[in-house]
Amino acid sequence: MQPKVSVRGLPLYKPGKSLEEVKREFGLEDVIKLASNENPFGCSPKVWEALEGIKGEFQYYPEGAAPELREKLAEHLEVDPRRLIFGNGSDEIVQIIARTYLDRGDESVMADLTFPRYETVTRIEGGVPVVVPLKEGVHDLEGMLAAITDKTRLVWVCNPNNPTGTIVSHEALSDFLDRVPPHVLVVVDEAYHEYVTDSAYPDTISLLDYNPQIIILRTFSKIYGLAALRIGYGIAHPDVVAELERVREPFNVNRLAQKAAIAAVEDETFVFYCRTQNRIGISQMTEKFDEWGLSYFPAHGNFILVDTGHPADEVDEYLLRHGVIVRSGLHLGFPTHIRVTVGKKEQNERFLEVLHAYLHKKGK
Ligand SMILES: Cc1ncc(COP(=O)(O)O)c(C=O)c1O
């Protein structure tokens, strides 16, 4: 029995190695994971408190529309609650968008080196991914505009971009949106939004007021530290949300996730702490990269894509053997780069020590 044509030969998502796997494979006890852009500080302690009372509720389905979280988040973001849609991770919203808007043969425009799910969900729907190369690691919005045809339905802008960590500015995004034709929806994936401190970073919600063709994606998996619970959200015009809601599964966001997200939004001190520590961690790493003459992309999220000058898989393997899991750039389109998540101070120190030992061994 063959699967449908669009699924045949689709590459499988290759997740990084887990802590447990590396411990087993290399016989190590002490392993750190800086591979999946998770929050090294965990989540707010308020989340733990909020989840304590939920044990007696497991037999009940969650409320599909997440009304309590919707209200809380709408207030926090200062948006109309009808502008929100929740997903089992923002991954699920990426899928819902493709399912809602792509017919067979429709085109969706994306950067060549960006979050891989945009391409996968496009292909699953029988759509055609149209890729526009990054320019020095940054989305080429002019190029993306030029790639739009009558068949284009979606454009994906990942901001900060994963894996490069670069951003497009408010001005550039706003100018781009003004020129995108009305038959196209622009998805602005802001999974790392809360980490960004650069004042040029777009206030995309304010752009939504004038431009009904934007869907903003955010997540609780990154700075809020709730990746295990799987919850993300989209912000869009109520008419767009209403279409997406037709495709959303009825109970897609579980009770634990909804409760946890409410508590997470309330704890702004935790978010502030993580953002500050992240900036310190970026400086800690980039100072060393500068000292060693390694180039890297400007990091606006909680990860850095750095060029080691050596085969990425070899560097990755060396780091693994020494108990540090990062992401090889090979499968991300950068054969000599590694993508490292910014960890706690001592984790960053350990990573830098091992990387330095590798470079030293190579005579650099
Ligand atoms: C750019 C980007 N978008 C979306 C996601 C998916 O996040 P989640 O499904 O955990 O919300 C990720 C995860 O790494 C990401 O990097």
Side-chain angles (χ1 to χ4, degrees), residues 89-91 115 158 162 189 191-192 219 221-222 230:
S90 52
D91 264 345
F115 190 54
C158 188
N162 182 1
D189 184 344
Y192 301 93
T219 182
S221 299
K222 303 300 174 184
R230 313 301 303 126

Side-chain angles (χ1 to χ4, degrees), residues 50-101:
L51 294 184
E52 245 155 44
I54 204 175
K55 280 189 207 145
E57 296 176 24
F58 286 0
Q59 69 274 41
Y60 302 120
Y61 285 104
E63 283 191 277
E68 217 184 313
L69 173 60
R70 181 179 298 276
E71 202 172 308
K72 171 67 63 187
L73 195 59
E75 197 183 302
H76 175 74
L77 299 170
E78 298 179 11
V79 300
D80 181 334
R82 292 172 308 155
R83 290 192 169 201
L84 297 174
I85 178 161
F86 295 94
N88 185 34
S90 52
D91 264 345
E92 193 201 20
I93 307 182
V94 168
Q95 184 182 31
I96 291 174
I97 293 168
R99 277 191 163 179
T100 307
Y101 287 99

Side-chain angles (χ1 to χ4, degrees), residues 188-210:
V188 186
D189 184 344
E190 298 186 342
Y192 301 93
H193 165 89
E194 298 83 1
Y195 279 111
V196 184
T197 54
D198 191 319
S199 58
Y201 186 63
D203 175 2
T204 319
I205 292 181
S206 73
L207 297 174
L208 186 56
D209 286 338
Y210 307 98

Side-chain angles (χ1 to χ4, degrees), residues 154-306:
L154 298 171
V155 176
W156 307 85
V157 179
C158 188
N159 201 32
N161 186 40
N162 182 1
T164 53
T166 55
I167 55 167
V168 296
S169 70
H170 187 90
E171 211 185 336
L173 184 66
S174 168
D175 178 57
F176 169 75
L177 290 166
D178 284 346
R179 292 188 289 149
V180 170
H183 67 280
V184 176
L185 263 174
V186 179
V187 185
V188 186
D189 184 344
E190 298 186 342
Y192 301 93
H193 165 89
E194 298 83 1
Y195 279 111
V196 184
T197 54
D198 191 319
S199 58
Y201 186 63
D203 175 2
T204 319
I205 292 181
S206 73
L207 297 174
L208 186 56
D209 286 338
Y210 307 98
N211 201 318
Q213 50 187 140
I214 319 175
I215 306 178
I216 303 164
L217 300 183
R218 303 252 178 102
T219 182
F220 284 95
S221 299
K222 303 300 174 184
I223 211 162
Y224 292 106
L226 299 178
L229 295 180
R230 313 301 303 126
I231 175 162
Y233 60 96
I235 316 165
H237 190 280
D239 293 348
V240 172
V241 170
E243 299 303 339
L244 299 173
E245 282 289 346
R246 295 181 203 279
V247 175
R248 183 180 66 77
E249 286 182 20
F251 306 110
N252 62 331
V253 179
N254 69 75
R255 267 178 188 270
L256 290 147
Q258 291 187 31
K259 269 246 161 47
I262 292 168
V265 168
E266 281 170 355
D267 194 351
E268 291 188 29
T269 313
F270 177 77
V271 171
F272 179 79
Y273 175 77
C274 296
R275 178 166 46 238
T276 309
Q277 293 304 311
N278 184 62
R279 288 319 307 175
I280 295 170
I282 287 177
S283 302
Q284 184 188 355
M285 291 209 201
T286 53
E287 274 165 24
K288 288 292 173 196
F289 297 158
D290 289 341
E291 196 180 311
W292 303 336
L294 303 184
S295 65
Y296 51 89
F297 289 97
H300 293 277
N302 66 339
F303 56 91
I304 310 175
L305 189 65
V306 56

Side-chain angles (χ1 to χ4, degrees), residues 39 41-49 223-226 263-264 266-267 270-271:
N39 187 342
F41 300 100
C43 67
S44 158
K46 295 212 162 74
V47 168
W48 287 103
E49 287 162 31
I223 211 162
Y224 292 106
L226 299 178
E266 281 170 355
D267 194 351
F270 177 77
V271 171

